[in-house]
Amino acid sequence: MAGRYGRPRSVLRMRTVAGQVFLLQVAIVVLLVAAAIAALVLQSGTDSEREARNRSVAVAQGFANAPGMEAALKSPDPTAVLQPRAETVRKGSDVDFLVVMNTHGIRYTHPMTNRIGKKFVGTLGPALAGHVVTEETTGTIGPLVQAVVPVVGHDGKVVGLVSAGVTLSKVSGVADDQFPLLFGSAAGVLLLTTGGTALVSRRLRRQTHGLGPQEMTRMYEHHDAVLHAVREGVLIVRGDGRLVLANDEARRLLDLPPDVEGRQVAELGLDPATAALLESGRVVTDEVHPVGDRLLAVNQRSTGDAGGLPSSVTTLRDTTELRALTGRADLARGRLRLLYDAGTEIGTTLDVVRTCEELARFGAARFGDIVTVDLAESVLKGEEPGAAGPAVAMRRTAVGGEVPDGSLYPVGEPVRFAPTTALGVRLPVGEPVLEPDLAAFSEVSGWQRQDPERARRIVAHGIHSLIAVPLRARGVILGAALFWRSRTPEPFDEEDLSLAEELVARAAVSIDNARRYTREHTMAVTLQRSLLPRALPEQSAVDAAFRYLPAQAGLGGLGGVGGDWFDIIPLPGARVALVVGDVVGHGLHAAATMGRLRTAVHNFANLDVPPDELLWHLNELVTRIDQDEGTDGTGEGPKSPITGATCLYAIYDPTAGVCTMARAGHVQPLLVRPDGGAEFLEVPGGPPLGLGGMPFDTCRLDLPEGSGLVLYTDGLVEDRGRDIDAGMALLRRTLGSGPGRTPQAMCEAALGALLPDRPADDIALLIARTRRLDAARIADWDVPADPSAVAQVRAAAVRKLAEWGLDDEAFTTELILSELVTNAIRYASGPIRVRLIHDRSLVCEVADRSSTSPHLRYAATTDEGGRGLFLIAQLAERWGTRYTGDGKVIWTEQALPDPARVPVATGDPGH
């Protein structure tokens, strides 16, 4: 063949595979040799430097520690004593110089005597401190390494210095001895490569009968085209029962999977008779075998495979047409199969629109060429369908198949069937309509009167037959399904009409189930949303933003309704509480439990308890919920799953910039610092709520102004295709990518990076950027335990209120402070401290060391006391007691009459 095409063969011809492999091998060898040379040179340089350092340090230390060194340095002429010794050691140790000097760096010895008495060039500071110094430098004799070591006297002080140096050229040269071996090895490999390439090239030419790559490619393309173009199935099976080749027709006739080559025939899922025939290899001629719903004529012959196992070639021909007499039975079986498949492919989700799309897609592929589905507007909203009639507003919900442009109404278009047509008369009462020949424009049915111009376009585009069937479930009309034929030449007939009615009836049940689920799901989501905060409360402690995204609906009736929640709760003293929680599970039970827990958190927060104590109370509540709902009411029924919940509770104080938090089984919060850096806070983790058994710990942090606290539920960072650690790392990278972003922008960035296409779990995200209350809006005084100090505190408070422009509040504040400070002096112990905070309200706080809380009493007319707290309750908008680690704080809040004078906290990063 090579001679025939006039192209001489050569091992080194680049158009041959062998030549290309040879070039690749040569390139690899050259690269390996170059890499080896580079590595050898680098290693030689590294070894030379290391050897120079070791030799110079060893010689210098050995000479410095030699006996009599201290005496020689203190002798009248150190040079006369040390120069001969140094030269002897230098020549014997093969170093370039050995210098002894005093502590000022003046040389006593040197190989060149004219440099004795001059100052040494090098670093001496560390050596004078008792350390060994090695350094690379370039001297008059070239690049070298020198070491300086101290000479320590008997009293431990440095009395002199010794330096030894070695040039790098003296210790190099190892690589030169290895270059001949390296180049010799490379030459040997190239010779072996050349010989191997020549042998492979000759063997390839012998096995391919002299065909070149182009000829072999052309022959393969012709063979493949013919093999897969014939309308007969071709199979080649080896003697060991392994399938070697199957063309496209064989795959279609036997319904073979795509990766059949190389597999055993017994593993292909064929019926036993066909599999046994293919494995036997026996000779057959036109033997008819039923395979599925086909009758196949099989021809099989044995063939010889040179040097290998015997094989057999099998051809298959579809002879189903021979069963024309039994066609009706097959048709009935096919229709039953269609209805069965429709039951598995339509109604796979509890979504009305998607169920309609499944009906349209299935009907277009298996029954009509084009299918349109129209639903009543009320059904799309999940409501009960209204009374049937031609005036019922419907909307095109789904279209299946290839619709010619401008022929049918598109998806989303409102549809009303005209009462002058059969569609407008019969569909609303539940009767189907068959139009076998649309081009006839029958005046009886009058389908064209719905839209005459569109009717002409429908016929012009080749749509020739129509079946319209009402979607009816439980006696109510939900909409209509219309089947159109265009590519299929046969028109619809009565049998097709009955099949369409059965198909639509089954789909209507699924659509109605989806509608009812949509209604119940909407009610559940509405209930859940009503339990979540709709807006953030007014407060000055943080600039906050939140996002709440329910899980996607369709998860077995549970999707879309979950138990994630968040909250921002203003607390006394201008503080704020940040809460994020997650109730295990989905559905109304989880949403109701979430509402109960959120209400409980609000109640416990109003008691102003610390985070760890609040979580303890919440844990007790969840435990009681599980106990109360664990049985069916009789105490004998099966127990429902344990509720289980996680929660993170944080309190931020803008007056001090302090945040305390605790968590119960919740994911760690993220802190975004003002400079843009992000890190997860190590908040001590307690068990999830309801498990109990362990206490909760509190974490206290000092947050810089403008810090961002990111609280979230695990649905944000965990997904089916991503574990929670990877999600948390992605969240940290996303929010730590740049400073200065507002909480709103941070929420959008987090959801943009982590939100999956169909969230399987609820997502609650709360981001708060901390503020600091202006120090000028805070005033505090230490009060001595002396009744006369009450007047002084009142006077100081009045002056501060005048400074703040709150003169109208002075009288009320004086009364409140008089009562609170007097009670603290009379009944409490320890130091007393008074603090005024000018925030959205005027806050008065009196702190003492007593843990006894005052109680509001209603004094009788004859009592002389007991009216103080009653008076405070009447004057203040709110009042209460907050316990601290060393006592308590009694606080009051007075509403400010002018909202325009409410101060704005400093450091608002959102503006």
Side-chain angles (χ1 to χ4, degrees):
M1 293 291 290
R4 183 175 62 192
Y5 286 95
R7 292 193 298 272
R9 298 295 182 183
S10 173
V11 173
L12 299 180
R13 281 187 63 86
M14 296 306 101
R15 298 175 64 180
T16 66
V17 177
Q20 294 173 0
V21 172
F22 174 74
L23 278 186
L24 178 62
Q25 292 173 336
V26 170
I28 293 174
V29 170
V30 172
L31 288 176
L32 289 177
V33 171
I37 292 174
L40 188 60
V41 171
L42 292 176
Q43 183 65 33
S44 175
T46 303
D47 293 343
S48 298
E49 180 184 348
R50 185 184 304 111
E51 174 63 21
R53 288 180 181 272
N54 294 339
R55 186 182 299 180
S56 59
V57 170
V59 172
Q61 285 182 335
F63 196 83
N65 296 325
M69 191 65 183
E70 180 180 4
L73 289 172
K74 294 180 179 180
S75 67
D77 189 1
T79 299
V81 177
L82 295 175
Q83 177 69 6
R85 298 182 189 176
E87 284 300 297
T88 302
V89 173
R90 179 183 69 82
K91 296 175 181 177
S93 58
D94 202 20
V95 297
D96 290 277
F97 66 85
L98 182 61
V99 176
V100 182
M101 66 197 87
N102 60 16
T103 56
H104 300 288
I106 304 301
R107 300 187 184 99
Y108 288 149
T109 68
H110 195 278
M112 302 174 65
T113 57
N114 60 348
R115 296 190 180 184
I116 296 175
K118 295 181 180 180
K119 189 171 181 62
F120 178 79
V121 180
T123 304
L124 302 178
L128 292 173
H131 303 290
V132 176
V133 181
T134 60
E135 59 183 348
E136 285 188 58
T137 183
T138 302
T140 58
I141 57 177
L144 56 85
V145 175
Q146 64 183 16
V148 181
V149 299
V151 179
V152 182
H154 67 279
D155 57 355
K157 296 182 178 179
V158 176
V159 298
L161 303 173
V162 176
S163 175
V166 183
T167 57
L168 295 177
S169 60
K170 180 170 291 189
V171 294
S172 62
V174 179
D176 298 338
D177 298 333
Q178 300 183 14
F179 282 131
L181 177 61
L182 180 62
F183 287 119
S185 300
V189 172
L190 287 175
L191 289 175
L192 290 176
T193 300
T194 305
T197 303
L199 291 175
V200 171
S201 179
R202 283 198 297 270
R203 183 173 181 83
L204 285 175
R205 286 201 301 271
R206 186 168 59 253
Q207 290 184 347
T208 59
H209 305 286
L211 292 176
Q214 293 182 352
E215 291 84 10
M216 292 181 64
T217 301
R218 189 182 303 112
M219 180 179 293
Y220 174 80
E221 290 174 348
H222 293 168
H223 167 269
D224 189 71
V226 172
L227 179 67
H228 294 287
V230 296
R231 299 306 299 169
E232 283 194 355
V234 179
L235 299 171
I236 298 179
V237 180
R238 230 164 46 187
D240 59 351
R242 194 173 298 275
L243 183 64
V244 178
L245 182 143
N247 70 346
D248 294 340
E249 183 67 6
R251 295 171 186 268
R252 185 184 71 84
L253 295 175
L254 297 179
D255 196 20
L256 297 176
D259 54 341
V260 293
E261 281 82 4
R263 296 173 58 180
Q264 291 288 337
V265 172
E267 300 173 357
L268 300 181
L270 302 174
D271 62 277
T274 304
L277 173 62
L278 294 178
E279 287 180 327
S280 67
R282 62 185 175 88
V283 176
V284 296
T285 301
D286 290 335
E287 186 172 305
V288 178
H289 277 259
V291 177
D293 56 352
R294 296 185 178 94
L295 281 179
L296 302 182
V298 182
N299 289 274
Q300 187 165 275
R301 296 291 185 273
S302 297
T303 181
D305 190 0
L309 295 173
S311 303
S312 61
V313 178
T314 306
T315 60
L316 309 171
R317 188 172 66 255
D318 190 359
T319 61
T320 309
E321 294 79 7
L322 299 177
R323 304 182 62 193
L325 296 177
T326 59
R328 287 190 174 275
D330 292 340
L331 180 62
R333 184 165 58 250
R335 293 189 171 187
L336 289 175
R337 182 70 182 179
L338 184 144
L339 293 175
Y340 173 79
D341 292 341
T344 59
E345 298 183 26
I346 300 175
T348 59
T349 65
L350 292 172
D351 185 270
V352 173
V353 174
R354 187 169 179 181
T355 303
C356 293
E357 292 173 347
E358 291 172 348
L359 170 60
R361 184 168 56 249
F362 181 86
R366 303 284 296 274
F367 183 65
D369 300 324
I370 302 171
V371 179
T372 61
V373 181
D374 307 321
L375 287 185
E377 295 278 4
S378 57
V379 176
L380 287 171
K381 297 176 183 178
E383 302 171 357
E384 288 288 343
V392 173
M394 289 193 292
R395 189 170 296 276
R396 182 132 297 172
T397 308
V399 174
E402 297 182 5
V403 181
D405 294 336
S407 56
L408 303 179
Y409 293 116
V411 173
E413 190 80 10
V415 177
R416 288 180 182 270
F417 295 113
T420 59
T421 65
L423 296 174
V425 174
R426 301 178 63 181
L427 289 179
V429 297
E431 297 179 2
V433 176
L434 170 63
E435 288 285 350
D437 186 8
L438 295 176
F441 294 111
S442 171
E443 290 297 329
V444 177
S445 63
W447 73 274
Q448 68 276 8
R449 290 194 291 270
Q450 174 76 22
D451 189 336
E453 179 61 28
R454 192 178 295 274
R456 285 191 291 271
R457 289 199 297 267
I458 289 175
V459 174
H461 284 301
I463 302 176
H464 59 83
S465 189
L466 165 68
I467 288 179
V469 182
L471 285 161
R472 180 170 55 185
R474 302 189 340 276
V476 178
I477 304 299
L478 308 177
L482 282 70
F483 301 87
W484 313 77
R485 274 189 177 170
S486 57
R487 296 188 306 273
T488 304
E490 297 83 6
F492 287 120
D493 54 22
E494 292 294 336
E495 291 185 357
D496 293 325
L497 178 62
S498 62
L499 178 61
E501 287 185 282
E502 183 67 24
L503 176 63
V504 172
R506 299 191 179 198
V509 174
S510 298
I511 293 175
D512 188 57
N513 290 338
R515 177 197 63 79
R516 297 171 67 183
Y517 169 77
T518 301
R519 181 187 61 185
E520 296 173 1
H521 178 264
T522 302
M523 295 172 57
V525 170
T526 303
L527 170 63
Q528 182 196 31
R529 292 297 177 91
S530 68
L531 298 175
L532 290 172
R534 300 183 180 180
L536 297 180
E538 294 184 355
Q539 44 79 35
S540 304
V542 295
D543 177 24
F546 66 90
R547 295 290 187 275
Y548 175 80
L549 296 175
Q552 288 288 348
L555 304 175
L558 299 177
V561 180
D564 291 14
W565 92 92
F566 63 92
D567 250 320
I568 294 184
I569 307 172
L571 297 178
R575 297 169 303 138
V576 67
L578 307 173
V579 192
V580 169
D582 183 2
V583 176
V584 174
H586 294 83
L588 284 176
H589 182 264
T593 303
M594 175 268 288
R596 297 167 72 175
L597 295 184
R598 180 171 177 254
T599 302
V601 169
H602 273 266
N603 292 333
F604 294 142
N606 287 334
L607 297 177
D608 212 350
V609 296
D612 55 341
E613 186 176 341
L614 183 141
L615 291 182
W616 183 84
H617 287 298
L618 210 59
N619 178 73
E620 293 295 310
L621 174 63
V622 173
T623 302
R624 286 197 300 272
I625 291 176
D626 289 340
Q627 293 174 351
D628 294 342
E629 299 181 358
T631 62
D632 60 355
T634 63
E636 300 176 356
K639 290 190 175 183
S640 62
I642 294 177
T643 301
T646 66
C647 183
L648 190 147
Y649 185 81
I651 297 177
Y652 174 68
D653 186 354
T655 63
V658 174
C659 181
T660 57
M661 59 182 69
R663 66 185 181 100
H666 206 77
V667 288
Q668 294 280 15
L670 180 68
L671 174 65
V672 181
R673 299 196 176 276
D675 60 359
E679 60 179 325
F680 288 102
L681 299 176
E682 294 298 331
V683 181
L689 301 174
L691 299 184
M694 295 179 64
F696 300 98
D697 295 328
T698 299
C699 174
R700 186 179 187 277
L701 301 170
D702 293 323
L703 299 182
E705 187 175 0
S707 300
L709 276 176
V710 183
L711 281 62
Y712 54 94
T713 55
D714 56 2
L716 178 66
V717 294
E718 189 176 22
D719 192 43
R720 297 184 183 94
R722 178 182 62 214
D723 61 25
I724 191 169
D725 292 334
M728 293 176 69
L730 179 57
L731 177 65
R732 180 174 57 82
R733 291 195 303 271
T734 300
L735 298 185
S737 58
R741 286 189 292 183
T742 64
Q744 292 286 355
M746 295 170 69
C747 285
E748 294 298 332
L751 293 181
L754 288 101
L755 184 64
D757 294 334
R758 293 185 62 83
D761 196 4
D762 298 356
I763 296 175
L765 174 63
L766 176 62
I767 300 180
R769 182 66 59 84
T770 61
R771 296 168 171 167
R772 292 293 294 271
L773 199 62
D774 190 353
R777 298 286 179 171
I778 304 172
D780 53 3
W781 303 274
D782 291 323
V783 182
D786 185 356
S788 62
V790 177
Q792 300 174 8
V793 173
R794 289 202 311 266
V798 170
R799 288 193 298 271
K800 180 56 69 173
L801 292 180
E803 179 183 335
W804 288 342
L806 301 178
D807 302 87
D808 296 341
E809 306 300 321
F811 178 73
T812 303
T813 305
E814 282 189 274
L815 292 177
I816 291 174
L817 287 178
S818 295
E819 177 62 28
L820 294 181
V821 175
T822 301
N823 283 347
I825 294 174
R826 180 179 299 177
Y827 301 111
S829 59
I832 301 171
R833 190 170 184 82
V834 174
R835 184 168 70 161
L836 294 182
I837 301 175
H838 181 197
D839 190 37
R840 296 180 182 271
S841 61
L842 179 61
V843 180
C844 299
E845 296 181 346
V846 177
D848 56 55
R849 292 294 181 87
S850 173
S851 60
T852 303
S853 175
H855 297 282
L856 180 65
R857 294 190 303 159
Y858 297 93
T861 56
T862 57
D863 291 342
E864 296 183 1
R867 297 179 177 84
L869 289 181
F870 180 78
L871 181 63
I872 290 176
Q874 299 301 313
L875 296 175
E877 185 179 25
R878 292 196 308 160
W879 75 280
T881 303
R882 178 172 74 252
Y883 291 97
T884 63
D886 55 358
K888 70 177 183 298
V889 175
I890 303 178
W891 55 269
T892 64
E893 288 187 3
Q894 299 167 241
L896 296 179
D898 187 1
R901 295 191 301 177
V902 174
V904 178
T906 62
D908 185 358
H911 300 280

